[in-house]
Amino acid sequence: MLNNIEGQNVPSVTFPVRVGDEFQHITSDELFKGKTVIVFSLPGAFTPTCSSTHLPRYNELANVFKQNGVDDIICMSVNDTFVMNAWAKDQEAENVTLIPDGNGEFTDGMGMLVDKSDLGFGKRSWRYAMLVKDGVIEKMFIEPDLPGDPFEVSDADTMLEYINPNQKKPEPVSIITKPGCPFCAKAKALLSEKGLAYEELVLGQQASLTSLKALSGRETVPQVFIGGAHIGGSDDLTTYFENN
């Protein structure tokens, strides 16, 4: 039975985490006391839905959540700290705190520990999300108790809708640049000034000249893309903001 325990305190657990070459310990109090925290929990690091959608979207909306009073976003999984550290490096996760619930103590205390032995996983977390204020669970979004791994209500957009239904969601922004380009620096500064988070693709590293031409039809940088639309260079970006 997957119980909703809104109004109760989060479990009191000490988490061993690997930082650099040594183990450290983080307690539930350190994570939650005096803070407003989003927690989303999932079956396992590196698993498909967790990697492609669940974690990246919370990471993408992190700044918006912070604008709405959220101090931290925690991704919890019944994996050891080495696996969680490796997953963090592999993912878009710089705005999310990944916590290894290796022994499943926190997940068990939440009543969310389930048997995934049929997949060779052993005991893992059911997928859910919650909003916690000063250690007290205000709201839980628990995936329906259906076969497989349902992903319907624990997503970042559902959480944001609960916290602020009037919040405008940011458009995804990507910019192709090259080192030492003053026009690139101008475009990035303008995006930051407008409060837009962006993904930077550096020519010769994350993007090739072929990709630049194929995507933009141009050979110059920067090239800015917002919400699926090609905006263009730094001057085009200035015009875009003047008209929007």
Side-chain angles (χ1 to χ4, degrees):
M1 177 67 90
L2 302 167
N3 292 322
N4 187 317
I5 56 172
E6 292 172 1
Q8 298 185 29
N9 292 318
V10 296
S12 180
V13 173
T14 297
F15 304 93
V17 297
R18 187 75 170 184
V19 180
D21 295 327
E22 61 183 19
F23 275 98
Q24 296 181 10
H25 294 83
I26 300 176
T27 66
S28 293
D29 276 352
E30 291 176 276
L31 293 174
F32 297 104
K33 191 171 183 180
K35 301 176 184 177
T36 296
V37 180
I38 292 171
V39 179
F40 65 100
S41 192
L42 34 81
F46 293 103
T47 52
T49 301
C50 309
S51 297
S52 65
T53 308
H54 211 175
L55 175 57
R57 186 57 172 165
Y58 271 104
N59 187 72
E60 184 179 16
L61 292 180
N63 288 333
V64 178
F65 281 122
K66 288 184 179 180
Q67 292 168 17
N68 285 276
V70 174
D71 298 300
D72 198 8
I73 301 172
I74 292 173
C75 174
M76 187 83 64
S77 184
V78 182
N79 290 106
D80 66 69
T81 185
F82 293 100
V83 169
M84 292 296 275
N85 287 349
W87 193 37
K89 292 179 181 178
D90 185 66
Q91 286 289 299
E92 300 170 21
E94 64 274 7
N95 300 315
V96 177
T97 301
L98 273 64
I99 295 296
D101 185 27
N103 294 327
E105 296 173 61
F106 187 92
T107 305
D108 190 28
M110 288 293 302
M112 292 291 149
L113 196 64
V114 296
D115 191 352
K116 294 275 186 178
S117 297
D118 59 322
L119 300 175
F121 281 18
K123 298 289 186 180
R124 292 297 179 100
S125 177
W126 190 251
R127 195 183 295 275
Y128 71 94
M130 62 180 175
L131 182 65
V132 181
K133 295 186 176 180
D134 194 22
V136 178
I137 302 165
E138 176 181 302
K139 181 67 176 177
M140 291 187 72
F141 295 96
I142 305 169
E143 294 298 340
D145 189 3
L146 298 172
D149 180 23
F151 181 47
E152 301 175 10
V153 298
S154 63
D155 58 286
D157 292 273
T158 298
M159 179 63 76
L160 183 58
E161 179 72 17
Y162 168 76
I163 293 174
N164 182 359
N166 298 316
Q167 176 67 56
K168 182 180 178 181
K169 296 172 185 175
E171 296 276 17
V173 181
S174 183
I175 179 171
I176 302 177
T177 68
K178 69 178 180 181
C181 165
F183 299 104
C184 301
K186 177 184 175 182
K188 290 191 292 181
L190 184 55
L191 289 169
S192 297
E193 178 187 318
K194 297 297 182 179
L196 293 179
Y198 58 86
E199 180 178 78
E200 182 176 8
L201 305 175
V202 180
L203 200 61
Q205 298 178 26
Q206 294 87 6
S208 67
L209 181 61
T210 299
S211 294
L212 175 67
K213 291 189 291 185
L215 292 170
S216 70
R218 304 184 190 179
E219 297 183 8
T220 57
V221 289
Q223 294 301 324
V224 180
F225 302 84
I226 300 178
H230 175 219
I231 306 304
S234 58
D235 290 341
D236 299 314
L237 184 62
T238 299
T239 301
Y240 170 83
F241 284 126
E242 288 174 349
N243 296 330
N244 289 276

